[in-house]
Amino acid sequence: MIIVLLGVSGCGKTTVGKQLSQKTGIPFFDGDDFHPKSNIDKMTKGMSLNDNDRCPWLLSLASNIETWAEENGAILACSALKERYRVVLSSKYNDIIWVHLSGSHDLIKGRIEKRGGHFMNADLLASQFKDLETPEYGIHADISESPEKITENIISKLENINQSFFGVIGLGVMGSSLSLNIAEKGYALSVYNRIAPGEENIVSDFLNKADEVMQIKGFTELKAFVNSLERPRKILIMIKAGKAIDAVIEALIPILSEGDILIDGGNSHYLDTNKRYEYLKSKQLHFIGCGVSGGEEGARKGPSIMPGGAKESYQIIEPVLEAIAAKDKKGNACCAYVGLQGAGHFVKMVHNGIEYAEMQLLAEIYALLSITNNNEEITTILSQWNTTDLSSYLLEITINILKTKENGKYVLDTILDKAGNKGTGSWSTKAGFDLGTVNTMMSSAVFARYISSFKEKRKHLSKFIKSDLKVTDVFDVNSLEKAYRFARIINHHQGFELIRLASKTFNWQLNISEIARIWTNGCIIRSEFMETSVNVFKDYESYLDTTDLLEVLISAENHMTKSIAYSLSHRVPFDTFWSAYNHWIAITTENLPANLIQAQRDYFGAHMYQKIDAPKEQFFHTNWY
Ligand code: NDP
């Protein structure tokens, strides 16, 4: 390593250079020791050197630098005030690390005077300041500190030289795509994947996939990975949620430094994120629970990103996250600070809950339309819908799925009807219970997946059902389209209500319109309706506060009942649509039979009840028998 300490006379090049040499073990050289005799004679006579005098001196230093670089490196103290001097110095070895010791004229003058016995012409110092062309590159060390502190600062900055700006742990589907996305945006990146039996080449395979111009370093040893990162270290953990995250965090803690930032980009439960946030805070480490949506393609080309944690932690990584995120219609990043603690992961969880119900609605539509239409006809119907306000990413991929053939067969027709899940839908559903709000559509969608998985049971019981259903009535596709629009509004309503309630409960102060905005692109639930939602939440707390959307719901009621009736008469499970409709009926009904529930509760448990005509603070009990 070649380090040149530059600066005007009296800035402390020799003192700092020697200390730096002591701490790093790199030999120290004083540039003044390499002047030719003619220069020494001139200086001894008190004459200043001109550029012609300096030229042979700088050239000889350049040759020495070349030699030192091949040996043990060097720390060279050399004023190198002008850019053209630095060009000559680096003419034979251009990887020099320039360290500019910078301080004001008065500070240096004062220090020189204090030293005593050291004479320096005031004009000479002033002319050096005039000559100084401060380099924009390299390390700039403020000399107002003590030499020890200056040395310490330089060492910490040196550690960052040639180090990666960002790190990613986990090169699975998401981690590798996000890594390529980050590196493509010009960030120097380090990546790490554990070595598991049979998967020894994950890192090298990944590096082979990466473009040559990308600056990526690969590691299979955690400590080396951590050491390769500049401080504060910024590490995105992109691995399986749950215990694996805790294990990786525990392995990282002893090798991280105060102020480093860990970002969990997986689908972690927000309550786990809350705990990890507090735990890492106690270790003086930042922690960002970051929701990422968009699947593999989104991660590579631009996902929707939902970061939560302390705002000041987020601000350090904001440029990277914004650079890799999808862009909304106005060109703004689909990434915004969500809120404290696990707010980012909470919002991502609800995103997935909405996604579950959106997917199930399309599955129920597919089931209903399949009664009288083949895949091609269904494609035509859905393609038409996708040209309207119903357009969405999920509708688009459903159309593509319906069209896809392999060996002359529709792939869809060959897929076993057992739906899997990774848990985020059920977490969302449970959050509704915990916070006391209605999210029946996502729960219906989760249960629909569960019941689909009982394939053997379904096969067995289906034999007992006499299938003498006849398709008599012609199904009105127009009604289904309106029912679909209706159900989507209720689904989004339930999801955003869940977020609104969490914001209130946990005092997260979430900006709902902004959350809708970062969901307008990159994520799985991006849609035309999400664009509408951004504006709705700028002015209203809820969709149901807007007359336009209320009108859409009211006018679609009979289409909903028609579609539900059709599903009933043809034995098609249609639970997610039902849930939407039931929610709507209940929320628009003044008198519900909850009076009976209250009476029953009071009957067996003396839970008391309020009365229609008494103040709501007043509770009553009846001796029922
Ligand atoms: P993958 O299964 O493709 O990759 C999982 C990664 O986690 C691998 O690198 C794996 O390493 C690593 N890993 C697993 N267990 C451990 C462990 N105990 N210690 C260290 N590393 C471990 O998953 P994805 O990339 O799909 O998902 C990563 C995270 O992102 C998950 O939380 C997921 O829910 C979330 N997510 C996924 C999306 C998707 O569409 N796939 C979308 C949004 C979020 P190894 O290769 O050695 O097993």
Side-chain angles (χ1 to χ4, degrees):
M1 184 186 284
I2 301 291
I3 301 168
V4 175
L5 295 171
L6 69 100
V8 296
S9 299
C11 68
K13 295 187 289 288
T14 311
T15 314
V16 172
K18 283 181 178 166
Q19 286 204 11
L20 204 55
S21 170
Q22 248 179 13
K23 299 257 174 193
T24 59
I26 302 172
F28 173 75
F29 299 95
D30 190 333
D32 284 345
D33 295 343
F34 294 82
H35 276 289
K37 187 171 176 307
S38 53
N39 285 0
I40 298 169
D41 290 346
K42 221 172 163 180
M43 287 188 290
T44 317
K45 288 179 196 155
M47 294 160 71
S48 52
L49 302 178
N50 59 32
D51 283 1
N52 286 340
D53 300 326
R54 284 194 181 93
C55 190
W57 169 60
L58 292 168
L59 281 170
S60 94
L61 280 175
S63 296
N64 277 303
I65 286 172
E66 190 184 21
T67 311
W68 293 330
E70 284 165 11
E71 295 169 351
N72 301 318
I75 295 170
L76 174 68
C78 174
S79 49
L81 300 180
K82 294 185 183 175
E83 180 60 24
R84 58 178 181 275
Y85 303 163
R86 298 190 286 266
V87 170
V88 177
L89 284 175
S90 55
S91 57
K92 297 195 170 163
Y93 177 80
N94 66 6
D95 240 356
I96 294 173
I97 298 167
W98 302 95
V99 180
H100 174 218
L101 298 180
S102 74
S104 70
H105 173 274
D106 290 350
L107 175 80
I108 294 173
K109 189 164 168 257
R111 281 199 183 164
I112 291 171
E113 283 167 0
K114 255 197 212 157
R115 268 189 228 159
H118 180 107
F119 171 76
M120 186 167 174
N121 184 329
D123 290 345
L124 186 60
L125 184 61
S127 88
Q128 288 206 354
F129 265 97
K130 206 162 142 246
D131 285 348
L132 174 64
E133 292 164 6
T134 305
E136 281 178 8
Y137 46 83
I139 293 172
H140 296 267
D142 176 3
I143 62 156
S144 61
E145 311 256 23
S146 67
E148 290 73 25
K149 187 78 191 151
I150 300 171
T151 307
E152 205 180 290
N153 287 344
I154 294 173
I155 287 175
S156 101
K157 287 183 182 167
L158 281 173
E159 281 172 1
N160 287 344
I161 290 207
N162 286 331
Q163 287 188 310
S164 301
F165 182 76
F166 204 84
V168 175
I169 292 181
L171 291 174
V173 174
M174 293 298 282
S176 53
S177 298
L178 284 168
S179 295
L180 293 175
N181 188 350
I182 295 166
E184 190 182 66
K185 299 299 174 302
Y187 290 104
L189 183 74
S190 288
V191 295
Y192 163 88
N193 202 90
R194 64 177 181 172
I195 293 194
E199 296 188 330
E200 290 79 8
N201 300 327
I202 290 196
V203 173
S204 51
D205 288 351
F206 169 78
L207 293 177
N208 290 337
K209 256 194 330 197
D211 201 310
E212 269 179 17
V213 295
M214 293 179 177
Q215 305 171 63
I216 309 181
K217 296 188 186 112
F219 298 88
T220 52
E221 208 268 297
L222 201 57
K223 191 157 188 215
F225 163 77
V226 165
N227 287 340
S228 76
L229 297 168
E230 71 171 62
R231 286 164 63 182
R233 300 182 182 94
K234 298 159 277 294
I235 301 174
L236 173 65
I237 305 172
M238 213 59 217
I239 65 169
K240 209 171 137 197
K243 287 192 180 127
I245 300 279
D246 290 315
V248 166
I249 287 176
E250 283 308 321
L252 282 169
I253 287 173
I255 50 177
L256 291 177
S257 314
E258 194 178 318
D260 288 349
I261 305 154
L262 293 183
I263 309 144
D264 174 10
N267 279 332
S268 291
H269 194 282
Y270 75 100
L271 293 177
D272 288 338
T273 304
N274 284 353
K275 279 189 218 142
R276 289 172 188 145
Y277 171 84
E278 295 301 336
Y279 175 58
L280 288 167
K281 200 161 122 186
S282 75
K283 307 270 177 200
Q284 279 78 48
L285 295 168
H286 299 267
F287 186 60
I288 296 286
C290 187
V292 179
S293 174
E296 184 177 13
E297 199 193 354
R300 179 67 185 86
K301 295 184 181 160
S304 167
I305 308 180
M306 297 145 252
K311 192 156 193 183
E312 56 274 21
S313 313
Y314 167 67
Q315 279 162 345
I316 304 170
I317 53 162
E318 185 177 7
V320 183
L321 296 190
E322 289 203 346
I324 62 165
K327 303 291 173 284
D328 69 13
K329 279 194 174 161
K330 290 184 182 157
N332 297 317
C334 287
C335 168
Y337 172 70
V338 175
L340 285 172
Q341 303 172 317
H345 275 144
F346 185 91
V347 165
K348 171 68 202 305
M349 177 189 76
V350 178
H351 165 285
N352 286 20
I354 296 173
E355 173 188 304
Y356 267 61
E358 289 289 294
M359 289 167 75
Q360 185 59 26
L361 286 174
L362 285 165
E364 291 176 7
I365 286 169
Y366 160 64
L368 217 60
L369 289 177
S370 293
I371 298 169
T372 52
N373 299 279
N374 60 28
N375 288 356
E376 217 168 301
E377 288 160 343
I378 300 173
T379 304
T380 308
I381 295 165
L382 299 190
S383 299
Q384 196 280 320
W385 292 5
N386 206 31
T387 62
T388 71
D389 58 307
L390 288 172
S391 139
S392 73
Y393 168 74
L394 281 170
L395 184 55
E396 182 190 317
I397 67 163
T398 304
I399 294 163
N400 292 339
I401 288 166
L402 278 156
K403 285 197 283 204
T404 306
K405 282 184 178 176
E406 257 173 24
N407 306 323
K409 266 188 169 178
Y410 285 108
V411 179
L412 184 59
D413 296 347
T414 67
I415 298 178
L416 187 67
D417 56 338
K418 276 170 86 166
N421 80 94
K422 285 200 171 159
T424 46
S426 72
W427 290 353
S428 268
T429 302
K430 281 185 210 150
F433 286 115
D434 294 340
L435 294 170
T437 186
V438 183
N439 55 351
T440 47
M441 290 185 68
M442 51 186 86
S443 68
S444 295
V446 172
F447 291 139
R449 290 198 194 185
Y450 291 170
I451 209 157
S452 79
S453 70
F454 308 147
K455 177 73 182 178
E456 298 312 315
K457 191 86 178 159
R458 290 193 284 117
K459 196 173 170 185
H460 168 69
L461 289 174
S462 69
K463 293 188 186 118
F464 297 96
I465 305 298
K466 292 218 167 48
S467 181
D468 54 359
L469 289 174
K470 289 197 183 68
V471 183
T472 46
D473 47 340
V474 177
F475 181 60
D476 180 4
V477 171
N478 185 38
S479 276
L480 187 60
E481 180 186 349
K482 292 198 161 68
Y484 178 47
R485 183 173 289 107
F486 179 109
R488 292 193 65 220
I489 297 172
I490 301 292
N491 180 33
H492 285 72
H493 168 69
Q494 292 190 345
F496 280 108
E497 276 297 289
L498 190 52
I499 291 175
R500 198 174 64 78
L501 215 75
S503 175
K504 215 166 131 188
T505 309
F506 304 121
N507 197 21
W508 282 338
Q509 294 165 27
L510 304 183
N511 182 336
I512 311 272
S513 170
E514 189 63 354
I515 291 168
R517 186 191 68 74
I518 62 175
W519 286 349
T520 56
N521 201 6
C523 71
I524 305 296
I525 59 171
R526 61 185 186 259
S527 69
E528 207 45 50
F529 186 57
M530 199 59 80
E531 298 281 351
T532 307
S533 307
V534 178
N535 291 328
V536 168
F537 293 119
K538 273 185 191 155
D539 299 326
Y540 303 96
E541 203 169 68
S542 155
Y543 294 110
L544 305 188
D545 296 335
T546 74
T547 42
D548 287 0
L549 291 174
L550 268 186
E551 194 44 52
V552 173
L553 292 165
I554 293 164
S555 64
E557 263 205 36
N558 63 329
H559 298 289
M560 194 61 154
T561 51
K562 262 200 224 171
S563 302
I564 291 173
Y566 189 81
S567 78
L568 277 175
S569 59
H570 293 83
R571 290 194 94 253
V572 173
F574 210 52
D575 198 28
T576 315
F577 273 88
W578 281 29
S579 299
Y581 192 50
N582 274 320
H583 185 153
W584 169 248
I585 300 174
I587 202 74
T588 52
T589 296
E590 184 175 354
N591 297 316
L592 291 172
N595 53 340
L596 178 59
I597 303 291
Q598 284 299 76
Q600 290 165 336
R601 292 177 70 237
D602 188 59
Y603 189 110
F604 61 72
H607 292 304
M608 308 179 81
Y609 54 86
Q610 294 155 292
K611 279 192 173 182
I612 293 168
D613 52 1
K616 62 177 190 283
E617 302 75 36
Q618 227 174 327
F619 283 81
F620 299 87
H621 171 63
T622 295
N623 289 320
W624 294 92
Y625 50 90

